[in-house]
Amino acid sequence: MTQQKTILRALAGETLATPPIWMMRQAGRYLPEYKATRAQAGDFLSLCYNSELAAEVTLQPIRRYGFDAAIVFADILLLPQALGADLWFVTGEGPRLSTITTADELAALKPVEAIHDTLNPVYETVKILSRELPQETALIGFAGAPWTVATYMIAGQGTPAQGPAHALKAENRPLFEGIINLLTESTIAYLSRQIDAGAEVIKIFDSWAGSLEGDDFTEFSVKPMARITAALKERHPDVPVIVFARGAGPRFAGMHAATGAACIAIDEGVTAEWAAEHVQKDGCVQGNLASSHMVTGGQTLIDETRRICRAFSKGPHIFNLGHGITPDADPTNVQLMIDTVRSGA
Ligand code: CP3
């Protein structure tokens, strides 16, 4: 019965005449109704941990646009917070965390089982959504990949080239691997609970995978995501996983097999034509419209949307952006993208 949801059909390998659509960061600051609910919650983290309001902002883009999937409103940095790191957001700048750069600091974090005390509101949000979403809309749960989350935990903030995490990897490999292992195991526990609560698809975000070079890419992006995917599959064989190794470039090829994921999300760093030939031949793909078109719109948006649909038309495809929609996007351009995909022209 759930197989009638178009995203689940695409993830199962079906080629659909019209690809299902959702957008990374579809609940976000480009929407006036999001800004209103966020103001009601007080701040971003209060919104994440208020299950009723988090469910509300998750539903807003579904009501406005009728996307084929909803992604639970949360953040990849809630997991380090649940492990005991301090987390706060500086307006206009981004996240800040207490740092983990010594063995003592790693040892002082909480054990995996303790994360649920903090993360229960996220599971509650998932439960509310699985009751309230329209029956044709799939519910996506998510987490950050260990490498990407580790880059924030080590540096204490976003860093352009992930320098501090690369430095720790070079200087203290056992400690770095300890952080990756703890994140891998706690991510499995976190995502399993999201599935128990009603998530039907899982997405793993490795937003900084692109800065890993050579064997490091395999060791610290691909392998942890493969381990998470395998552990979830063992417990929840029917729940497909989407992995997003942003910046992977030619390394997107072969990633279905390397990670065991049902779908590879593709950023805008490769063309849809290349990805159709080298990635989609192995299974479902998602992406890769540049999010800047949500700001600029017009005929270029229509042409690019059509080109991507055409390039991916011979295999399983979920229409999405290459990365998250930005706060300066125009909501009418989102509607134009959806109309273009669904008109099939
Ligand atoms: O996609 C969705 O609609 C679901 C919600 C979601 C958020 N963050 C909400 C959010 C998801 C899936 C994420 C993932 C996330 N968070 C990633 C991976 C995906 C990516 O974008 O590469 C990363 C790296 C983070 C960490 C993070 N959270 C940063 C760096 C920032 C600040 C940058 C910014 O855009 O302001 C956030 C904040 C954040 N997470 C916002 C939202 C809607 C904006 C916060 C606000 O309302 O002020």
Side-chain angles (χ1 to χ4, degrees):
M1 193 184 72
T2 50
Q3 272 325 70
Q4 282 163 355
K5 298 188 185 188
T6 49
I7 284 204
L8 298 179
R9 287 168 60 190
L11 288 166
E14 196 177 326
T15 303
L16 298 162
T18 302
I21 316 178
W22 70 281
M23 256 185 356
M24 280 183 246
R25 293 271 173 101
Q26 63 190 21
R29 287 163 293 178
Y30 73 106
L31 288 179
E33 59 268 37
Y34 169 84
K35 283 191 263 191
T37 310
R38 186 177 176 281
Q40 192 188 338
D43 58 37
F44 174 65
L45 283 175
S46 306
L47 177 54
C48 290
Y49 289 116
N50 182 326
S51 306
E52 290 290 337
L53 294 184
E56 166 59 23
V57 293
T58 308
L59 290 164
Q60 286 168 350
I62 308 303
R63 286 190 206 114
R64 188 190 263 257
Y65 298 115
F67 282 115
D68 297 291
I71 181 163
V72 60
F73 191 83
D75 196 82
I76 65 165
L77 300 177
L78 303 187
L79 180 63
Q81 186 175 37
L83 285 165
D86 294 329
L87 171 68
W88 67 102
F89 280 79
V90 179
T91 312
E93 290 186 28
R96 295 288 182 275
L97 295 92
S98 51
T99 57
I100 306 294
T101 54
T102 67
D104 286 346
E105 285 165 348
L106 175 60
L109 290 177
K110 295 179 192 167
V112 170
E113 316 78 68
I115 63 172
H116 307 303
D117 297 343
T118 302
L119 297 169
N120 263 320
V122 178
Y123 312 143
E124 186 55 34
T125 307
V126 173
K127 278 188 204 156
I128 296 170
L129 288 167
S130 53
R131 274 197 314 267
E132 294 195 359
L133 277 170
Q135 68 177 40
E136 67 276 14
T137 314
L139 179 54
I140 304 173
F142 76 92
W147 160 249
T148 288
V149 177
T151 65
Y152 290 96
M153 289 179 84
I154 294 164
Q157 61 183 72
T159 42
Q162 298 77 59
H166 284 289
L168 188 71
K169 169 160 61 62
E171 287 154 19
N172 191 343
R173 188 88 165 190
L175 173 59
F176 176 78
E177 289 179 349
I179 296 171
I180 294 289
N181 288 337
L182 175 65
L183 287 172
T184 302
E185 295 311 313
S186 51
T187 300
I188 292 167
Y190 180 38
L191 292 175
S192 274
R193 287 289 186 97
Q194 292 186 38
I195 295 169
D196 291 339
E200 301 167 287
V201 175
I202 290 296
K203 178 159 180 189
I204 308 171
F205 288 89
D206 211 352
S207 303
W208 300 119
S211 76
L212 289 165
E213 288 174 1
D215 292 344
D216 280 353
F217 181 78
T218 308
E219 281 306 310
F220 300 119
S221 179
V222 174
K223 281 194 185 167
M225 292 201 287
R227 158 107 187 90
I228 294 164
T229 303
L232 293 177
K233 226 180 234 179
E234 213 177 284
R235 298 181 201 185
H236 312 276
D238 297 331
V239 175
V241 175
I242 304 171
V243 305
F244 180 46
R246 189 161 74 95
R251 300 170 297 184
F252 280 121
M255 206 169 265
H256 284 95
T259 60
C263 179
I264 302 302
I266 310 275
D267 62 24
E268 55 220 58
V270 296
T271 65
E273 291 77 11
W274 179 89
E277 189 181 339
H278 296 95
V279 191
Q280 195 188 27
K281 70 177 178 55
D282 297 329
C284 189
V285 291
Q286 173 187 284
N288 71 334
L289 183 70
S291 31
S292 57
H293 292 298
M294 296 301 107
V295 182
T296 52
Q299 190 60 40
T300 319
L301 161 57
I302 296 173
D303 292 345
E304 282 296 284
T305 300
R306 285 182 180 155
R307 185 182 60 79
I308 289 168
C309 287
R310 215 178 307 121
F312 287 134
S313 64
K314 295 184 188 68
H317 171 218
I318 298 167
F319 196 90
N320 205 311
L321 306 178
H323 195 210
I325 186 166
T326 50
D328 55 345
D330 180 342
T332 61
N333 290 332
V334 176
Q335 190 63 57
L336 180 59
M337 170 190 78
I338 293 173
D339 292 344
T340 305
V341 173
R342 292 195 172 149
S343 74

